[in-house]
Amino acid sequence: QVQLVESGGGLVQAGGSLRLSCAASGSIFSIDAMGWYRQAPGKQRDVVATITSGGNTNYADSVKGRFTISRDNAKNTVYLQMNSLKPEDTAVYYCYQVIKSRRATNYEYYWGQGTQVTVSS
């Protein structure tokens, strides 16, 4: 069984910073890509940032230059450093990791439980 646990959300004023973490645990054989999505109230879930196993990153246009995604393979953890936060960044943030468990033959998507980020103006 594989589990993802997120941490680091909260309430921050506009212009502030937060760092989200997402750690995978369990019967893990290998991890491929990792990333973050977010969902604001009444809106669809949108991709925020992704990082490949080789460290290549991609960002949504709305967060480029403000957010940084990184990963620590030794800890099976993906991070999202969020700077210069804006009220429109308010959402529930979900991490994912593409993992091949020890019992599986293929890679599968695993999701975190979601963490609330609220940016006040």
Side-chain angles (χ1 to χ4, degrees):
Q1 190 75 341
V2 175
Q3 185 178 16
L4 268 59
V5 177
E6 298 183 36
S7 60
L11 173 64
V12 64
Q13 289 188 334
S17 298
L18 284 174
R19 189 193 193 205
L20 306 183
S21 299
C22 170
S25 63
S27 183
I28 297 170
F29 177 77
S30 179
I31 303 178
D32 193 0
M34 301 177 178
W36 294 89
Y37 276 69
R38 68 185 180 185
Q39 187 168 20
K43 296 187 177 181
Q44 66 181 19
R45 189 179 297 191
D46 291 325
V47 63
V48 175
T50 63
I51 184 167
T52 67
S53 58
N56 294 318
T57 59
N58 276 292
Y59 297 93
D61 288 342
S62 59
V63 307
K64 283 181 180 177
R66 301 188 298 121
F67 290 11
T68 302
I69 188 171
S70 61
R71 60 190 287 168
D72 185 334
N73 293 326
K75 296 182 179 180
N76 296 335
T77 300
V78 60
Y79 304 96
L80 187 67
Q81 178 66 44
M82 304 185 294
N83 298 328
S84 302
L85 282 160
K86 304 175 181 180
E88 50 263 44
D89 294 318
T90 295
V92 177
Y93 284 70
Y94 298 91
C95 68
Y96 74 88
Q97 297 191 26
V98 184
I99 297 172
K100 184 177 179 182
S101 68
R102 296 188 184 280
R103 294 185 177 184
T105 56
N106 297 310
Y107 284 88
E108 299 175 64
Y109 278 79
Y110 290 86
W111 292 87
Q113 79 278 15
T115 187
Q116 177 70 45
V117 171
T118 302
V119 185
S120 63
S121 57

